[in-house]
Amino acid sequence: PAGGLLLVGGADIQGHGIYLEIVAFGEDRQSWNVAAEYFPGATDNPQAGAWLMLDEYTSREFADSYGVLRKLDGLAVDSGYRTNQVLEWCRRRPDTYAVKGEPGRGRPAIGQPTNRSVSKRGKRRRFGSARSWPVGTWALKAEFYGNLHKPGLAAGEPCDPPGYCHFHKELGEEYFQQITAEYFEQKILRGKLYEEWKPRRVDNHWLDCRIYAMAMADHLGLSRMTETEGARLRAYYEPAEPADLL
């Protein structure tokens, strides 16, 4: 899309395959779903199965609205499952980050990484450590769900507001069921407040992908982006209009 300045991805690893969402973000935090893919196959070997399809897809170039080919600025891969495989896969690829969701209030979108030794079959390797980045999922989910409720041009508003979420028409019902698969519950038990994000349904993979893509955009500077930096990125990606000689 014309307003997309950062192009990032989030991947959720399952035993039967890998879910991936590619998202473009604008400087005002508007987002555009670029692609939502599922790669079926085994995930126990980072050099085979669904990993090969993920590698091929995320290595490609994506054409923007001006026809310019762009590669992903960053990819976040959930290491909550198949941890060793995720660490091994990510450490061999540039601009690829192994992430781990962390619940609770007050956590940053993405925190400081820790070094994790990549192990195989339960044996810890002396060399070849990889970084794992913590992601504060609570705040990102709250932001995303708040943005989903914002009306824009499609609802008759004069413009799309900051944070507005754009989705292409080819996405099926299952995608939207998954991104809305959780709700935030607050209750008081024995005088104490308990808070928790709880599932409405079993599958929430596209929601996880979106949250990790948001964390990746934040890591690349979306929250810190100034008007000057936004203008610089627009000038870099958007073609210069030819001068009017008449």
Side-chain angles (χ1 to χ4, degrees), residues 41 121 198 207 221 225:
R121 296 177 182 175
K198 302 190 71 172
L207 174 61
M225 187 177 295

Side-chain angles (χ1 to χ4, degrees), residues 97-219:
Y97 301 77
V99 297
K100 178 70 165 62
E102 300 289 346
R105 290 186 179 272
R107 296 184 180 274
I110 189 165
Q112 294 298 315
T114 56
N115 288 325
R116 298 282 301 276
S117 295
V118 178
S119 59
K120 184 177 182 180
R121 296 177 182 175
K123 295 183 179 180
R124 188 172 299 276
R125 290 184 179 178
R126 186 175 180 182
F127 303 102
S129 64
R131 284 184 163 187
S132 177
W133 300 74
V135 170
T137 58
W138 277 26
L140 291 173
K141 288 177 182 179
E143 177 187 348
F144 180 50
Y145 276 26
N147 288 337
L148 288 177
H149 285 86
K150 293 179 178 180
L153 287 169
E157 296 295 319
C159 64
D160 293 324
Y164 187 80
C165 300
H166 302 261
F167 302 97
H168 62 75
K169 296 181 180 180
E170 296 180 2
L171 295 169
E173 179 183 349
E174 179 62 20
Y175 171 86
F176 294 100
Q177 290 284 354
Q178 289 197 24
I179 65 172
T180 57
E182 296 186 13
Y183 67 98
F184 190 63
E185 181 181 77
Q186 293 178 307
K187 59 184 179 182
I188 297 178
L189 295 177
R190 295 183 292 275
K192 186 177 181 180
L193 176 64
Y194 289 87
E195 299 177 313
E196 182 182 10
W197 281 93
K198 302 190 71 172
R200 298 181 187 274
R201 67 201 303 270
V202 175
D203 292 334
N204 65 344
H205 312 300
W206 296 126
L207 174 61
D208 288 344
C209 290
R210 174 56 67 108
I211 295 308
Y212 293 132
M214 292 173 67
M216 192 78 272
D218 194 87
H219 177 67

